[in-house]
């Protein structure tokens, strides 16, 4: 870990409370993104044999969002807590490279998904020919396109550097404002990675909505199978639009800020104006899993099914544990009074505590379990009898308290399993220990 104390660009330029707030928000985003995208990949794995080619784009979105989460959030969170960038210039460039690679890949994937939806809905004759090979080729193109733009600053067309607020890295906006080559890279990036995808997605979904609206009037004349297919297409359209809207809400502030930094007076831009768009941009990792896991019926069914299975297993384990504890307590409670009543009889001061042991073959076993003067006729002293009585009374009260606690956790279990004392194997009268 390299720290440059003399380099002011690696110092945070926003107040400490705001840095702490940014770190907390990033932590929440990171946990939600990690859980959501992992769940999305898990569901895709569970239904891998019935995946449609268009759903490959959803998997690729989850992969790119997870890459963004794992490569950016830990470094940004720790640096925000320490109020400075902690990892030096080399890691700063790697951080910025990963942000560009995964971010552009997500945007390109959404653009290709909108085009595929447009072809399948508006031109079903060609859309039905779309297969897995086509999907894999388009996904490979998305990664190549993102890699191309992410590598440009590494060959000095544009530069990577610290953000103006000091605790993260991206394109060096100050050089973009000062150097023509760096500014040209920012302009090309803005056009091909924001304006062009926005226009393609807008045109695709406009055509889809127009087609759906035109076919809505003749829907009743179609066969039931055609109606079913139309409903599926409508669901895909709604989900894709929701994902795209969320993504553009996240990245639009950052894209506009990049143009302001390239052509405006960067010294007049407050550092917080860069920090807030960056926070919105990182929130893009949680939109995709939220939309698909909450609105996609088949995805939601798989998650609910697996969660129900896990819940049943946990309940079965808890029921078995509590049931064994409760049956053991009930056995002891039902057998104990028969023995303790003899100890607490009125003439216990003059008679020895005779304890009956049954179920034992010899005197050794009985004397081991019943240490109370087995078969003795010699009376016990008054002081000793009172002491034993107090001990047994305390043990009984303690056992009753335990039974009440165990009854609270096992009441429903005993009722559901219909466990009765008569069904307990090996039931026999034993001495009170």
């Amino acid at each position: 870990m390299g720290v440059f104390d003399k380099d002011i660009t690696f110092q945070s330029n926003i107040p400490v409370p705001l840095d702490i707030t940014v770190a907390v928000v990033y932590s929440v985003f990171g946990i939600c993104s990690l859980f959501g995208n992992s769940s999305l990949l898990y569901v895709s794995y569970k239904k891998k044999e019935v995946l449609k080619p268009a759903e490959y784009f959803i998997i690729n979105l989850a992969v790119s969002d997870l890459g963004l989460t794992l490569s950016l959030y830990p470094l940004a969170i720790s640096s925000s807590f320490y109020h400075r960038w902690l990892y030096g210039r080399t890691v700063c460039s790697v951080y910025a490279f990963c942000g560009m690679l995964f971010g552009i890949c997500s945007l390109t994937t959404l653009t290709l998904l909108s085009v595929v939806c447009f072809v399948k809905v508006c031109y079903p004759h060609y859309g039905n020919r779309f297969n897995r090979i086509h999907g894999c080729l388009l996904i490979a193109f998305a990664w190549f396109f993102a890699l191309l733009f992410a590598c440009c600053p590494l060959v000095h067309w544009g530069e990577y550097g610290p953000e103006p607020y000091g605790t993260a890295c991206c394109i060096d906006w100050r050089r973009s404002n000062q150097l023509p080559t760096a500014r040209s890279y920012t302009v090309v990036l803005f056009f091909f990675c924001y304006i062009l995808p926005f226009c393609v997605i807008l045109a695709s979904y406009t055509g889809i909505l127009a087609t759906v609206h035109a076919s809505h009037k003749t829907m009743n004349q179609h066969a039931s199978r055609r109606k079913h297919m139309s409903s599926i297409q409508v669901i895909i359209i709604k989900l894709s639009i929701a994902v795209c809207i969320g993504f553009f809400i996240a990245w639009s502030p950052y894209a506009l800020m990049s143009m302001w930094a390239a052509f405006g007076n960067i010294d007049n831009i407050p550092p917080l104006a860069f920090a807030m768009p960056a926070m919105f941009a990182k929130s893009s990792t949680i939109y995709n899993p939220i939309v698909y896991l909450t609105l996609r019926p088949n995805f939601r069914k798989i998650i609910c099914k697996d969660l129900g299975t896990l819940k049943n297993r946990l309940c079965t384990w808890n029921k078995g544990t509590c049931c064994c504890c409760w049956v053991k307590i009930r056995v002891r409670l039902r057998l104990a009074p028969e023995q303790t009543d003899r100890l607490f009889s009125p003439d216990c001061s003059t008679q020895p505590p005779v304890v009956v042991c049954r179920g034992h073959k010899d005197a050794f076993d009985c004397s081991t379990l019943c240490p109370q003067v087995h078969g003795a006729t010699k009376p016990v002293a008054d002081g000793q009898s009172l002491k034993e009585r107090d001990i047994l009374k305390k043990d009984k009260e303690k056992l009753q308290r335990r039974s009440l606690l165990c009854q609270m956790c096992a009441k429903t279990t005993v009722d559901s399993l219909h466990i009765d004392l008569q069904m307990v194997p090996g039931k026999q009268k034993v001495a009170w220990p």
Side-chain angles (χ1 to χ4, degrees):
M1 181 186 300
V3 179
F4 296 86
D5 294 330
K6 297 181 180 180
D7 194 348
I8 195 172
T9 58
F10 287 93
Q11 295 285 345
S12 178
N13 295 317
I14 61 178
V16 175
L18 290 179
D19 261 335
I20 301 298
T21 303
V22 170
V24 173
V25 172
Y26 282 173
S27 300
V28 175
F29 285 170
I31 293 173
C32 294
S33 175
L34 189 63
F35 176 76
N37 288 291
S38 300
S39 301
L40 197 58
L41 291 178
Y42 172 75
V43 172
S44 301
Y45 173 77
K46 293 284 289 186
K47 61 189 295 276
K48 59 181 181 296
E49 296 184 359
V50 295
L51 280 177
K52 299 177 183 177
E55 292 177 333
Y56 288 178
F57 297 99
I58 302 173
I59 298 174
N60 194 52
L61 280 172
V63 171
S64 60
D65 288 342
L66 269 181
L68 201 68
T69 300
L70 297 176
S71 60
L72 267 61
Y73 279 113
L75 306 182
I77 291 171
S78 56
S79 296
S80 296
F81 274 122
Y82 279 92
H83 196 56
R84 63 176 299 123
W85 176 255
L86 298 172
Y87 303 96
R89 294 184 180 276
T90 302
V91 180
C92 179
S93 298
V94 174
Y95 177 98
F97 172 82
C98 291
M100 291 290 293
L101 175 66
F102 294 120
I104 295 175
C105 182
S106 296
L107 181 57
T108 307
T109 302
L110 287 173
T111 305
L112 295 175
L113 178 61
S114 67
V115 174
V116 171
C117 289
F118 172 78
V119 174
K120 290 180 73 67
V121 174
C122 300
Y123 301 96
H125 178 72
Y126 298 99
N128 293 333
R129 299 179 183 178
F130 186 79
N131 55 33
R132 297 185 177 184
I133 297 177
H134 298 148
C136 293
L137 289 176
L138 290 177
I139 290 174
F141 170 77
W143 283 103
F144 174 77
F145 184 79
L147 186 63
L148 179 65
F149 277 94
C151 289
C152 288
L154 300 180
V155 295
H156 304 292
W157 186 33
E159 296 289 340
Y160 288 137
E163 292 271 19
Y165 56 90
T167 56
C169 298
C170 192
I171 298 173
D172 193 336
W173 302 117
R174 191 169 295 277
R175 291 191 180 186
S176 177
N177 184 266
Q178 298 172 355
L179 301 179
T181 55
R183 183 181 301 165
S184 64
Y185 171 75
T186 303
V187 173
V188 171
L189 185 68
F190 179 78
F191 178 78
F192 283 98
C193 297
Y194 182 75
I195 296 297
L196 183 61
F198 177 79
C199 294
V200 171
I201 291 175
L202 183 62
S204 297
Y205 286 115
T206 300
I208 290 172
L209 293 177
T211 302
V212 172
H213 179 72
S215 62
H216 181 71
K217 298 179 181 179
T218 58
M219 184 71 72
N220 295 329
Q221 299 177 359
H222 293 172
S224 58
R225 185 172 179 270
R226 185 60 179 273
K227 292 180 181 179
H228 179 64
M229 294 301 296
S230 298
S231 64
I232 292 177
Q233 291 173 354
V234 170
I235 291 175
I236 294 176
I237 293 168
K238 291 180 179 180
L239 294 175
S240 301
I241 291 177
V243 172
C244 293
I245 290 176
F247 191 90
F248 282 122
I249 289 176
W251 284 100
S252 293
Y254 204 82
L256 297 177
M257 184 57 61
S258 67
M259 289 294 98
W260 187 8
F263 294 97
N265 188 352
I266 195 170
D267 293 329
N268 294 333
I269 303 176
L272 189 60
F274 285 95
M276 296 304 295
M279 186 183 300
F280 277 102
K282 289 182 174 63
S283 68
S284 64
T285 59
I286 66 176
Y287 295 145
N288 181 44
I290 288 176
V291 171
Y292 279 94
L293 292 176
T294 56
L295 299 180
R296 191 69 182 267
N298 54 350
F299 280 39
R300 189 172 63 250
K301 287 179 181 178
I302 293 177
I303 287 292
C304 294
K305 180 180 178 181
D306 290 348
L307 289 178
T309 303
L310 179 61
K311 180 181 178 181
N312 291 335
R313 289 180 179 178
L314 292 176
C315 290
T316 302
W317 182 82
N318 290 332
K319 286 179 179 180
T321 304
C322 293
C323 181
C324 293
C325 174
W326 173 235
V327 170
K328 185 177 179 181
I329 293 296
R330 286 185 63 182
V331 170
R332 298 188 67 181
L333 281 177
R334 290 198 178 187
L335 295 180
E338 298 180 4
Q339 309 301 332
T340 54
D341 288 342
R342 297 184 181 184
L343 293 176
F344 298 149
S345 58
D347 56 345
C348 65
S349 60
T350 58
Q351 297 293 333
V354 180
V355 180
V356 179
C357 288
R358 300 179 182 178
H360 297 278
K361 296 181 181 180
D362 52 27
F364 177 77
D365 292 336
C366 189
S367 61
T368 303
L369 293 175
C370 310
Q372 294 94 341
V373 201
H374 180 69
T377 56
K378 184 178 180 180
V380 182
D382 293 340
Q384 186 177 0
S385 177
L386 292 174
K387 183 177 180 181
E388 290 179 354
R389 192 191 322 179
D390 292 339
I391 293 175
L392 290 174
K393 187 175 181 180
K394 291 180 180 179
D395 289 342
K396 184 177 180 180
E397 293 176 353
K398 184 177 181 181
L399 187 61
Q400 289 176 346
R401 287 196 298 268
R402 287 183 180 178
S403 68
L404 291 176
L405 292 176
C406 193
Q407 184 181 5
M408 294 174 64
C409 71
K411 183 178 179 181
T412 56
T413 303
V414 175
D415 293 339
S416 62
L417 297 179
H418 303 287
I419 294 179
D420 189 77
L421 187 62
Q422 300 297 332
M423 299 175 62
V424 179
K427 177 188 174 184
Q428 57 188 359
K429 290 188 176 181
V430 297
W432 179 254

